[in-house]
Amino acid sequence: GWVRRMAKLLAELGVERERRIAILLPDTPEFVFAFWGAIWLGVIPVPINTACTLADVQYILQDCRAQVLVTDRSWLERLGESFVPKGSANESPCLQHVVQIDGDRSLISLLNQQDESVDWVQTDREEPAFWLYTSGSTGRPKGVIHLHQSMVVCAESYGNELVGLQADDIIYSVAKMPFAYGLGNTLYMPMSVGAAAILSDAANAFDIIADIQTYRPTVLFGIPGIYAGILSLAEIAPLDASSLRLCLSAAEQLPPTIWLKWREMYGLEICEGIGTTELLHIFLSNRPGECRPGTSGRPVPGYDVRVVDDRGFTAPDGEIGALEVAGESLMLGYWNRLSATRSALYGTTMRTGDKYVRDADGYFRFMGRNDDFFKVNGMWVSPFEVEDVLLQHQSILDAAVVPSDETLTQVIAYVSLKSEFVPSIELERSIRQAVKAQLPPFKVPKSIQFLDALPRTPTGKVHRQ
C-alpha cells in the first residue's frame, strides 16, 4: 500500500516514466517506499550515499537531472540555497520538488493523503530501472545504469541459489542501501524470499554489536573493517553471535587473519565474495561449508569469470592477470560517460580493474586493483599480502600498504593501533621484525606510519589515493 501511494504521489507531482528521482536518505522505511514507488511507476530512482561529501552530492544531483529529491531536513540545510527547486531563486535546472521525510509536510503525512489507485507500469526487463553512483575514489562519481532484470538475476543467482536466504531469515547489512552491496542485502534479496531486513543507522562496531543483541539477525552481511572492529572489542563489548547462522563479507579483501579469529571466537565461517556496482552484486563467492580464507571464492551461478593475460587470453592457473566477468546483471553503461563505458565493457563482458589469480581448484584470489599493485626491485608487491601479515601483530587494528613516491619504490605501511597500544620506535621495530619473519625483504615496509584511523571512501573501502 505504501509503495502504491508513493507511486501516486510521484504521478501527482508530474514525474513521468523514465525520469529520475533522487533519494538522499539513511536506511529508513521512507527510502524503501520511495525506491519501490518509483519502480512501480516506471520512474528511475537514484539513491545517493549519505556518506558522500557535500560536493559529490551536489554533483550527483546536477548530473542525474532529478525532478524530485527525497531527503531530510539536515541534508536540506547542508545543501542550502545552492540547490532549490525550479522556479525559485538560484533554481536548479531540473529539480521541481523536494519531499522531506521530517517536518510539517513529511513524506508519511503526504502518503497518508494518497489512495492506492495507480496501476503498475509494465516495464521491460531490458529497460533502465535505477541508477547507482560509484563511490568515486578516483575522480567524480559515475552514474551506473541498471536494468529491471539486474535485481532478479542477483536475487536468484546469489541470494537464493548460492547463499540460500529463507523466508524466516532476519537480515542485517552493515552496507547501506545506496551502496550496491547494501541495496541487494537489505532491499531486493530479502523481498525476493519474503525475509525480514533490519534498517539501522549504526556507524561503528559498538552500535552494530548493540543492534545484533537487540534484533537477533540470522544473517550478517558485513565488511572486513567491521569484522575486525567487533573482534577488537571482544573484551569490553562481547558480541552474542548465537542468533547468526550465516556471515558474509564483501567490499574489500578480508584478511585471512580476521577470518580465522572470527571462526575461533564464534564458530562461524565468513563467506567472502566480491562484486562491483557495475555488476550490481556479488559474482565471485565462497559457499557456506566450502570457504577458503584469503580468496574471493568461485563464480556465482550464471557468471563467467576469467583471469586474462595482457593479450586477453585466459591466464594459466597460478598466474596473475586481469579479472573479466560476464553476466546478465551487467550495467547498461555509465551515464554520459561514453569513453569510460567503452573501456569497461567488451560486449557482455567487463574488465573490473582488479588483478587476480585462479588456483587449480577454481578459487580466485584477489591480488589488488590495477593501481594498487606496484613493483619493488622489479618484483610485484600485492598490498593485501603485506597487510594480512601486519594484522597478525597483536597491536594492529587496521593496516594499509602503499608504494612510496620515491625514484626507487619502497613499501610504506599505514597502521592504526588497538586502544591499549601507543606508537613508539620499539613497537615499529617489533612490527617490522614480525613481517620480516614471514615475507621476503623487498616486501617488508621501509617505514610504518601510525594513524588514529585510516581514511576510507563512503562505501567503507580504504582510500589508498
Side-chain angles (χ1 to χ4, degrees):
W2 290 108
V3 169
R4 288 201 289 271
R5 290 177 186 194
M6 184 72 207
K8 186 73 183 294
L9 174 63
L10 291 173
E12 287 195 351
L13 292 175
V15 187
E16 297 172 346
R17 181 174 177 170
E18 297 173 8
R19 296 301 300 269
R20 270 86 63 197
I21 69 158
I23 305 171
L24 178 59
L25 291 174
D27 283 10
T28 53
E30 289 91 343
F31 183 117
V32 178
F33 305 154
F35 187 92
W36 289 125
I39 297 279
W40 184 274
L41 199 62
V43 168
I44 295 173
V46 182
I48 304 175
N49 196 327
T50 55
C52 284
T53 64
L54 179 61
D56 276 350
V57 170
Q58 289 171 325
Y59 170 79
I60 291 168
L61 286 169
Q62 296 281 9
D63 187 60
C64 75
R65 303 177 192 153
Q67 275 188 292
V68 174
L69 169 62
V70 183
T71 191
D72 57 26
R73 180 183 293 138
S74 65
W75 264 105
L76 274 183
E77 287 170 359
R78 286 186 67 190
L79 287 165
E81 292 185 1
S82 64
F83 227 89
V84 291
K86 197 174 177 183
S88 319
N90 306 317
E91 70 175 36
S92 171
C94 296
L95 192 65
Q96 293 174 355
H97 303 281
V98 172
V99 178
Q100 262 182 257
I101 68 164
D102 41 16
D104 296 336
R105 284 173 54 78
S106 70
L107 177 58
I108 293 296
S109 68
L110 290 172
L111 295 182
N112 276 324
Q113 296 167 26
Q114 304 296 326
D115 58 38
E116 301 172 16
S117 63
V118 60
D119 290 332
W120 61 280
V121 170
Q122 294 197 7
T123 48
D124 187 270
R125 61 179 289 145
E126 293 186 359
E127 70 180 90
F130 59 96
W131 297 4
L132 294 173
Y133 274 79
T134 60
S135 53
S137 55
T138 53
R140 286 292 195 190
K142 296 191 289 288
V144 173
I145 302 171
H146 270 293
L147 309 177
H148 280 273
Q149 68 182 11
S150 300
M151 287 187 283
V152 179
V153 168
C154 294
E156 290 179 352
S157 59
Y158 178 79
N160 300 7
E161 191 171 341
L162 190 135
V163 174
L165 298 179
Q166 300 159 6
D168 58 356
D169 273 323
I170 300 170
I171 295 166
Y172 187 93
S173 174
V174 169
K176 305 305 180 198
M177 287 188 285
F179 182 19
Y181 180 45
L183 190 76
N185 303 343
T186 303
L187 197 69
Y188 61 83
M189 286 188 189
M191 189 161 283
S192 75
V193 296
I198 296 159
L199 302 179
S200 168
D201 59 358
N204 58 54
F206 278 110
D207 292 344
I208 289 162
I209 290 167
D211 278 346
I212 292 171
Q213 321 283 69
T214 303
Y215 300 110
R216 313 296 293 150
T218 58
V219 178
L220 171 61
F221 282 102
I223 59 175
I226 290 298
Y227 285 113
I230 291 172
L231 286 168
S232 74
L233 297 174
E235 300 205 351
I236 54 170
L239 171 70
D240 175 3
S242 59
S243 67
L244 294 172
R245 70 173 186 87
L246 197 55
C247 297
L248 307 114
S249 184
E252 62 181 338
Q253 181 75 3
L254 179 75
T257 306
I258 302 298
W259 191 98
L260 292 164
K261 283 181 182 171
W262 188 267
R263 191 183 62 175
E264 183 185 339
M265 185 160 288
Y266 303 114
L268 290 161
E269 295 180 310
I270 300 174
C271 296
E272 182 182 2
I274 179 183
T276 64
T277 307
E278 291 84 352
L279 281 140
L280 188 57
H281 210 268
I282 290 171
F283 53 77
L284 275 177
S285 182
N286 283 278
R287 289 158 170 74
E290 300 174 33
C291 288
R292 190 166 293 186
T295 76
S296 301
R298 293 172 293 171
V300 170
Y303 291 90
D304 180 29
V305 186
R306 297 193 306 145
V307 176
V308 300
D309 62 21
D310 293 341
R311 296 175 301 159
F313 294 114
T314 302
D317 288 347
E319 285 195 13
I320 297 173
L323 194 71
E324 281 193 352
V325 187
E328 283 197 323
S329 64
L330 185 61
M331 67 175 181
L332 179 65
Y334 299 115
W335 168 249
N336 277 355
R337 299 282 190 93
L338 183 61
S339 61
T341 302
R342 292 276 193 265
S343 61
L345 302 186
Y346 301 74
T348 58
T349 302
M350 180 185 177
R351 280 261 173 107
T352 66
D354 298 305
K355 295 278 192 191
Y356 261 82
V357 168
R358 182 185 184 273
D359 70 18
D361 298 326
Y363 283 81
F364 288 71
R365 187 180 303 273
F366 180 54
M367 303 304 288
R369 294 285 299 168
N370 287 347
D371 45 6
D372 292 340
F373 237 69
F374 57 94
K375 279 185 174 179
V376 173
N377 300 335
M379 290 174 282
W380 283 113
V381 173
S382 167
F384 302 95
E385 181 184 19
V386 186
E387 287 163 12
D388 187 53
V389 175
L390 287 166
L391 287 165
Q392 292 169 33
H393 196 275
Q394 59 180 1
S395 68
I396 293 179
L397 175 65
D398 207 358
V401 166
V402 296
S404 65
D405 49 11
E406 300 157 16
T407 312
L408 289 170
T409 304
Q410 301 285 344
V411 176
I412 306 291
Y414 291 87
V415 301
S416 61
L417 299 176
K418 294 174 184 172
S419 55
E420 63 268 32
F421 292 90
V422 291
S424 69
I425 293 168
E426 292 74 27
L427 181 59
E428 184 174 349
R429 194 175 293 128
S430 162
I431 292 168
R432 196 177 283 108
Q433 285 300 121
V435 178
K436 247 180 211 168
Q438 293 196 52
L439 294 176
F442 74 93
K443 294 183 180 178
V444 176
K446 183 190 178 190
S447 85
I448 295 171
Q449 307 287 329
F450 296 99
L451 301 177
D452 291 338
L454 298 188
R456 291 187 174 270
T457 68
T459 51
K461 298 178 187 178
V462 172
H463 203 318
R464 292 176 188 277
Q465 276 73 26

